[in-house]
């Protein structure tokens, strides 16, 4: 999640505080610490690309590179396996979630609490042709490709009634505006059972949602620390969840059975004399890093990083197509 610059950003930030305060007041109490506990030993961070604006989301191209979105800079771009960065589309309105599906890359625009209505679009890799599939979306943010080929997208807009999570079927064009009514959702990840997903929202909690019962979300982790702004996420086949969090510019490792969380890296914050959240880490994906799996993360500081795990951590992704 992120908002625009200037007065719109200030207005959205104030609104976000009010929304969070109201939602958290109704949420179960969580005994968090003021800062995240650390579990960073053995993790190795490498910068792949830097200085490219405000990175919001990414997905692997399956060839060692990534498709990424630049939120405030309004672009959709590709980073190849050698780290070469190329803007493919510009002039987009707050592009966010991105997912690769065969010959196409899907992405959303209009991310933000108070942005104008957004879209779901499809980019054809071979030709560069772009097709707008859906319009009038309510602040679309996270995007997830399901095993059956459907797309889920979270919405965080407040210009109208919350629309929760939408579902779109590319093969037929079928669209369910509110597949799950869980409000003000953000990140999305497939669970290893293939029958449920994970998401988070402005209550600072993480939920599991069964695909066959989208109106029955279950809280699997509450606030990991007293200040938290969770964003996008990805799960492993062993059901460990990795979550980007703006508050400390961290990647949190979440045990989906116990709800316990710790940070494997912190401090990835957009530079400046004053903080203006959301300004930290935005998304995390698991992809091949040589002959092993690694985490790849984006941040509002305009940097794409790789995090290699220590020995003994299985990062095999839950998503079978990875």
């Amino acid at each position: 999640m992120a908002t625009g610059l200037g007065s719109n950003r200030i207005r959205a930030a104030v609104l976000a505080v009010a929304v969070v305060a109201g939602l958290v007041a109704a949420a179960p109490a969580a005994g968090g610490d003021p800062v995240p506990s650390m579990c960073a030993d053995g993790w190795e961070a490498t910068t792949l690309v830097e200085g490219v604006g405000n990175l919001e989301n990414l997905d692997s191209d399956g060839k060692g590179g990534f498709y990424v979105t630049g939120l405030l800079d309004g672009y959709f771009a590709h980073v190849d396996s050698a780290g070469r960065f190329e803007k493919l589309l510009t002039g987009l309105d707050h592009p966010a979630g991105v997912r690769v599906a065969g010959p196409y890359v899907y992405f959303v625009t209009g991310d933000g609490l108070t942005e104008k209505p957004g879209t779901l679009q499809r980019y054809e890799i071979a030709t560069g042709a772009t097709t707008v599939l859906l319009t009038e979306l309510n602040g679309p943010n996270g995007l997830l490709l399901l095993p059956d080929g459907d797309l889920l997208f979270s919405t965080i807009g407040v210009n109208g009634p919350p629309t929760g999570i939408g579902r779109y079927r590319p093969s037929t064009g079928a669209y369910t505006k509110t597949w799950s009514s869980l409000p003000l959702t953000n990140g999305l990840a497939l669970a290893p059972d293939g029958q449920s997903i994970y998401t988070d929202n402005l209550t600072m909690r993480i939920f599991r949602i069964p695909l066959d019962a989208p109106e029955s979300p279950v809280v699997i982790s509450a606030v990991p620390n007293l200040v938290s702004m969770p964003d996008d996420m990805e799960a492993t086949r062993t059901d460990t969840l990795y979550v980007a969090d703006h508050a400390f510019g961290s990647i949190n490792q979440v045990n989906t059975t116990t709800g316990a969380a710790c940070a494997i890296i912190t401090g990835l914050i957009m530079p400046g004399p004053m903080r203006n959240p959301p300004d930290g880490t935005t998304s995390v994906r698991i992809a091949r890093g040589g002959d092993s799996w690694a985490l790849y993360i984006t941040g509002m500081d305009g940097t794409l990083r790789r995090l290699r795990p220590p020995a003994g951590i299985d990062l095999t992704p839950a998503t079978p197509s990875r």
Side-chain angles (χ1 to χ4, degrees):
M1 175 193 74
T3 56
L5 291 171
S7 61
N8 187 51
R9 179 158 191 164
I10 294 170
R11 183 170 64 252
V14 171
L15 182 57
V17 171
V19 169
V20 171
L23 291 171
V24 172
D33 295 320
V35 295
S37 60
M38 297 298 296
C39 50
D41 288 352
W43 285 89
E44 175 188 309
T46 303
T47 294
L48 303 178
V49 174
E50 59 186 338
V52 293
N54 306 107
L55 289 173
E56 209 288 333
N57 213 264
L58 81 162
D59 201 20
S60 170
D61 67 0
K63 302 176 183 178
F66 296 87
Y67 291 96
V68 299
T69 50
L71 183 76
L72 303 182
D73 313 278
Y75 67 72
F76 167 73
H78 181 249
V79 180
D80 70 14
S81 58
R84 290 183 290 263
F85 174 87
E86 179 187 8
K87 291 182 181 179
L88 303 174
L89 300 171
T90 58
L92 301 173
D93 177 37
H94 292 80
V98 55
R99 292 288 180 172
V100 177
Y104 302 114
V105 186
Y106 295 89
F107 64 93
V108 295
T109 70
D111 177 26
L113 289 163
T114 60
E115 302 306 320
K116 64 183 181 181
T119 67
L120 171 66
Q121 301 190 35
R122 183 182 67 204
Y123 175 86
E124 187 172 20
I125 296 171
T127 66
T130 303
T131 304
V132 177
L133 302 172
L134 295 175
T135 60
E136 300 299 313
L137 304 182
N138 191 18
N141 189 342
L143 188 62
L144 178 64
L145 179 68
L146 296 178
D148 66 0
D150 282 12
L151 294 164
L152 297 181
F153 56 87
S154 60
T155 62
I156 205 160
V158 295
N159 283 332
T163 48
I165 299 172
R167 185 165 182 163
Y168 177 77
R169 177 159 293 177
S171 61
T172 65
Y175 169 45
T176 303
K177 182 176 182 179
T178 301
W179 171 76
S180 170
S181 61
L182 186 68
L184 303 170
T185 46
N186 198 335
L188 295 168
L190 184 70
D193 62 8
Q195 304 300 313
S196 57
I197 65 164
Y198 294 113
T199 190
D200 50 36
N201 71 0
L202 287 183
T203 63
M204 300 182 285
R205 296 178 294 174
I206 298 171
F207 302 81
R208 184 194 294 267
I209 302 179
L211 290 176
D212 62 358
E215 295 298 349
S216 300
V218 176
V219 176
I220 61 103
S221 183
V223 186
N225 30 271
L226 293 181
V227 180
S228 181
M229 294 182 68
D231 204 320
D232 211 0
M233 56 181 68
E234 183 146 38
T236 70
R237 69 175 179 185
T238 57
D239 219 1
T240 297
L241 192 63
Y242 291 90
V243 184
D245 193 296
H246 283 282
F248 291 91
S250 63
I251 298 296
N252 294 334
Q253 178 180 281
V254 180
N255 183 315
T256 59
T257 301
T258 67
C262 60
I264 62 174
I265 194 169
T266 61
L268 308 182
I269 303 295
M270 193 170 159
M274 296 180 61
R275 290 204 60 183
N276 191 10
D279 59 355
T281 48
T282 52
S283 188
V284 55
R285 293 285 177 265
I286 300 172
R288 284 286 180 186
D291 59 357
S292 61
W293 298 106
L295 300 181
Y296 292 83
I297 61 175
T298 53
M300 290 292 282
D301 63 355
T303 305
L304 171 65
R305 296 175 173 89
R306 180 181 62 223
L307 297 178
R308 292 191 185 278
I313 290 185
D314 183 4
L315 284 185
T316 306
T319 304
S321 59
R322 279 277 181 254

